[in-house]
Amino acid sequence: MEEEKTPKISVWNLPDVPKGKLPAHLELQRTRVICTPDAATNTENIRYSGAYASMGVDNSLRLGHFRDNFRVEVVRLTEDDMEFDMIGIDASLANAFRRILLAELPTMAIEKVLIANNTSVIQDEVLAHRLGLIPLKVDPRMFEYMSENDVPNEKNTIVFKLHSCCERGSSRIKVLSNELQWLPRGSELTVSTEKPAVDPTSRPRTYTSFNCSQDSLPEFSNNPIGPKHDDIIIAKLGPGQEIELEAHAVKGMGKTHAKWSPVATSWYRMLPEVVLLQEIEGEIAEELVKKCPVKVFDIEDIGKGRKRATVARPRSCTLCRECIRPDGKEKEKEQRIYWDKYVALRRVKDHFIFTIESTGALPPEMLFTEAVKILEDKCERVITELS
Amino acid sequence: MQITKRVSYERDTKIINAASFTIEREDHTIGNIVRMQLHRDENVLFAGYKLPHPLKYKIIIRIHTTSQSSPMQAYNQAINDLDKELDHLKNAFEAELARHSGSQSRQY
């Protein structure tokens, strides 16, 4: 009995693999992260320029190619947060921006607290810590850094005063952040010295030496400096307790302490891609639509009462993998479906959805522009300081 | 204690066209990006970076190239290319912002 023989094709009749383009499965491997029920596979970026040299495909990236393929799309932009897409960049660039937004953008925050009187239940250091974490609504680019040896002056310090007391006989009060008063002329607390003042008419030395009032600068005359939110509770006072202190704010970076981070947080994720490998109709389609907690799938009628499942909102997929988890004990063994034959979850490797939430010092789009400038400065430093 | 030399360069005695660059005061933010850009260059055979110790703030980048280019040239080229890419990124972002806020203000 003759077996069915697979047709033999001689080598020179094989269909041509087009030179210069990758076949579909290699293109998939190069540009997509595949998410299986256990873990995500294929996550490395194949950046090596000679990776596909045998196929005749040049994997090296030239500047012109980057320029043609790069795109930015802003999805949402409000005063405090923004969400935008960057298409065509590498994961290391996206991570660099996230790291710079968190740690290397300067802001102003309270650093030194001079406490004159604190009879509340909140300890001095806890109160100082809480004051440091309050976000201030001031553009940090108008100030300079202050180092150890510098004298605090109007170009590197902002001074606030807090004086709150609770009368005997009244109920407990809350000290809110709107009670932090800005002192544009500098500190009012005097430095005590052993020698009595020689000249009684001269002004006593205070902790800061402001040459001119910060009020007179054009940026601050119309918008006074203060905390971003007025209703932050700093402390609670009972009857007879009092807090009197002066706080100095300086410029710093998130690297030193998280209070100087200008973003509440900033994160990115790769664009999810949900692909149906087979036509899913009828009851299985209904089951699939019910499985997804964020309603990625939808039912579409194709006439004669038949229903089919489609992918309606792939962008909102949170990769919970519920749609590819094989059925477990809740069904009988014969009825269990292995869903990963029907649905493929992937992520596009060079499409990043960035979200930036600002704490209020600068609007989020300016934060990102500053982050790009800082990365450019870093690149310049790394090249010019080569001796 | 001032660090005067920010970037220093050491050629490898045993392998030709190989060098290590030690950069003070930098971390993964720059290291990963420069490594990625070096990979895109055709003349680079090996490119990698590491932080010798997580508590010490410096990185070492090692580059091997073919005889057609030198590690110094590859490094300079990579960073110049990065600079131009970042410039383009910034312009594209600002253009998109202007377009987005322009279209948003038109909708009531």
Side-chain angles (χ1 to χ4, degrees):
Chain A
M1 217 164 41
E2 274 198 10
E3 296 167 352
E4 277 257 351
K5 286 196 186 154
T6 50
K8 288 193 179 165
I9 315 176
S10 61
V11 174
W12 36 84
N13 289 340
L14 280 174
D16 244 339
V17 177
K19 272 236 167 201
K21 272 183 67 92
L22 286 175
H25 63 285
L26 283 183
E27 188 68 22
L28 185 72
Q29 191 196 34
R30 187 175 80 96
T31 58
R32 300 283 191 271
V33 174
I34 303 175
C35 300
T36 60
D38 307 325
T41 58
N42 197 30
T43 53
E44 327 73 48
N45 278 348
I46 303 180
R47 271 293 159 211
Y48 171 48
S49 61
Y52 299 109
S54 56
M55 305 288 309
V57 171
D58 183 12
N59 201 20
S60 72
L61 214 76
R62 295 273 157 247
L63 188 61
H65 191 240
F66 174 74
R67 256 195 214 151
D68 295 330
N69 289 6
F70 177 68
R71 263 184 11 244
V72 174
E73 286 169 9
V74 177
V75 170
R76 189 183 71 230
L77 176 61
T78 67
E79 199 187 304
D80 283 332
D81 66 20
M82 79 184 285
E83 185 180 328
F84 63 102
D85 284 13
M86 284 208 279
I87 306 162
I89 63 166
D90 188 61
S92 54
L93 263 177
N95 195 29
F97 288 129
R98 185 193 62 91
R99 285 173 72 97
I100 293 181
L101 281 164
L102 280 173
E104 308 219 21
L105 277 178
T107 343
M108 305 293 291
I110 292 176
E111 164 88 352
K112 280 210 181 106
V113 178
L114 306 165
I115 303 189
N117 187 4
N118 176 18
T119 46
S120 70
V121 289
I122 316 285
Q123 298 93 337
D124 286 350
E125 60 270 17
V126 177
L127 193 57
H129 181 244
R130 290 177 71 81
L131 284 170
L133 292 171
I134 297 175
L136 302 175
K137 190 173 181 170
V138 53
D139 190 341
R141 296 174 291 190
M142 298 191 215
F143 289 89
E144 296 161 356
Y145 286 100
M146 184 172 90
S147 67
E148 286 293 314
N149 315 331
D150 278 348
V151 173
N153 59 24
E154 72 275 6
K155 289 201 189 56
N156 55 28
T157 318
I158 306 178
V159 182
F160 292 96
K161 180 171 102 155
L162 178 64
H163 187 171
S164 174
C165 64
C166 183
E167 308 291 328
R168 278 205 186 275
S170 69
S171 56
R172 287 172 188 278
I173 59 168
K174 295 181 196 170
V175 179
L176 300 177
S177 58
N178 56 7
E179 301 186 29
L180 272 174
Q181 280 176 338
W182 176 40
L183 303 177
R185 288 175 188 280
S187 168
E188 287 172 0
L189 297 178
T190 56
V191 179
S192 58
T193 51
E194 281 119 31
K195 300 181 287 192
V198 175
D199 185 1
T201 57
S202 71
R203 261 182 310 151
R205 211 159 62 88
T206 63
Y207 281 97
T208 62
S209 28
F210 277 37
N211 293 332
C212 69
S213 165
Q214 281 173 331
D215 229 336
S216 57
L217 295 169
E219 301 95 22
F220 300 134
S221 47
N222 287 335
N223 4 346
I225 300 179
K228 166 84 177 165
H229 303 276
D230 280 337
D231 49 356
I232 302 176
I233 300 179
I234 302 178
K236 289 192 187 177
L237 297 176
Q241 295 174 350
E242 187 179 348
I243 295 181
E244 185 179 350
L245 54 82
E246 209 174 77
H248 297 192
V250 295
K251 188 167 170 177
M253 289 199 276
K255 254 196 299 210
T256 329
H257 193 283
K259 69 188 176 193
W260 277 302
S261 182
V263 289
T265 185
S266 79
W267 74 91
Y268 64 86
R269 61 189 179 112
M270 291 193 261
L271 181 76
E273 191 184 42
V274 184
V275 172
L276 294 175
L277 298 169
Q278 302 173 15
E279 285 280 327
I280 304 183
E281 294 187 6
E283 280 200 9
I284 306 183
E286 300 257 351
E287 226 184 297
L288 184 62
V289 172
K290 258 191 280 183
K291 260 183 189 268
C292 183
V294 284
K295 303 193 186 9
V296 169
F297 300 100
D298 226 348
I299 294 276
E300 127 187 288
D301 282 323
I302 35 175
K304 293 194 206 161
R306 289 192 309 157
K307 298 184 211 164
R308 190 173 65 172
T310 57
V311 179
R313 287 160 288 269
R315 196 188 158 101
S316 52
C317 174
T318 56
L319 225 71
C320 64
R321 296 194 186 100
E322 191 58 32
C323 47
I324 51 175
R325 197 173 58 86
D327 284 337
K329 299 226 175 90
E330 67 267 10
K331 283 195 184 170
E332 297 301 325
K333 220 168 186 171
E334 302 81 38
Q335 293 175 338
R336 288 186 198 165
I337 310 177
Y338 285 90
W339 288 98
D340 43 0
K341 285 192 314 209
Y342 291 102
V343 182
L345 283 183
R346 301 185 198 138
R347 290 220 189 235
V348 185
K349 273 188 195 168
D350 60 354
H351 185 141
F352 291 95
I353 302 175
F354 244 99
T355 313
I356 303 179
E357 292 178 10
S358 158
T359 49
L362 285 172
E365 65 272 10
M366 256 195 257
L367 279 176
F368 188 74
T369 323
E370 290 291 311
V372 180
K373 279 189 210 153
I374 288 184
L375 190 56
E376 284 180 343
D377 284 342
K378 273 183 184 270
C379 288
E380 282 210 31
R381 252 180 301 163
V382 162
I383 205 175
T384 57
E385 301 219 5
L386 202 52
S387 51
Chain B
M1 196 172 61
Q2 279 278 356
I3 314 269
T4 45
K5 267 205 201 143
R6 191 120 182 192
V7 185
S8 59
Y9 164 77
E10 259 172 35
R11 291 184 51 196
D12 195 336
T13 47
K14 296 179 212 151
I15 310 178
I16 52 164
N17 281 330
S20 307
F21 293 83
T22 307
I23 308 179
E24 303 277 345
R25 317 303 247 187
E26 289 298 344
D27 60 353
H28 300 280
T29 309
I30 276 281
N32 202 8
I33 293 191
V34 174
R35 176 202 62 89
M36 175 214 37
Q37 191 68 26
L38 280 166
H39 274 290
R40 291 174 174 176
D41 189 355
E42 307 161 320
N43 292 325
V44 166
L45 292 173
F46 176 93
Y49 84 101
K50 69 174 180 180
L51 269 75
H53 194 278
L55 293 177
K56 290 208 185 108
Y57 197 26
K58 70 176 185 183
I59 54 172
I60 301 182
I61 305 183
R62 191 175 167 87
I63 310 178
H64 291 195
T65 58
T66 59
S67 47
Q68 295 192 336
S69 148
S70 81
M72 181 74 90
Q73 205 183 335
Y75 179 80
N76 280 329
Q77 176 77 21
I79 299 191
N80 283 331
D81 275 345
L82 264 180
D83 223 348
K84 291 189 198 125
E85 271 185 34
L86 287 174
D87 242 343
H88 180 252
L89 201 155
K90 187 164 65 157
N91 294 338
F93 180 71
E94 282 172 353
E96 171 65 25
L97 256 186
R99 192 192 67 82
H100 176 88
S101 46
S103 71
Q104 232 187 11
S105 63
R106 258 179 267 130
Q107 298 169 0
Y108 295 103

